[in-house]
Amino acid sequence: MAVDNTGGGSRTIKASKFKATCLRLMDEVAESGVEIVITKNGHPTARLVPCRKRFRDWFGADRGNIEILGDIISPMDVEWEAEVDPDGVLNP
């Protein structure tokens, strides 16, 4: 195959070889997850990368990553400045 391994998790291929084997290379990238850099005249011009699935719903996305410590529903035992002097001006 005309694809060169460059290390670092990507491969390079000439545009002419990419054109001839495009569909097969798309399947390889989707399966392996390794991107391919496409070159023209020795210069990188494009990248073929795997498509990543996105979250459909953010609700619950961090489940298992966040730990709630203590009671987050009950009121706190701290008096707010607005409760102490409701007619006063808040100090910045």
Side-chain angles (χ1 to χ4, degrees), residues 56-79:
R56 287 186 179 176
D57 187 11
W58 284 101
F59 184 76
D62 283 326
R63 182 176 291 136
N65 295 327
I66 297 175
E67 181 180 354
I68 297 173
L69 303 174
D71 184 5
I72 63 170
I73 298 174
S74 298
M76 296 174 51
D77 291 332
V78 176
E79 260 188 274

Side-chain angles (χ1 to χ4, degrees), residues 36-84:
I36 295 177
V37 177
I38 304 158
T39 62
K40 272 179 112 172
N41 300 322
H43 299 286
T45 57
R47 291 185 314 152
L48 179 63
V49 296
C51 186
R52 303 283 186 228
K53 291 184 180 179
R54 296 182 183 197
F55 286 120
R56 287 186 179 176
D57 187 11
W58 284 101
F59 184 76
D62 283 326
R63 182 176 291 136
N65 295 327
I66 297 175
E67 181 180 354
I68 297 173
L69 303 174
D71 184 5
I72 63 170
I73 298 174
S74 298
M76 296 174 51
D77 291 332
V78 176
E79 260 188 274
W80 290 18
E81 189 175 339
E83 293 174 342
V84 175

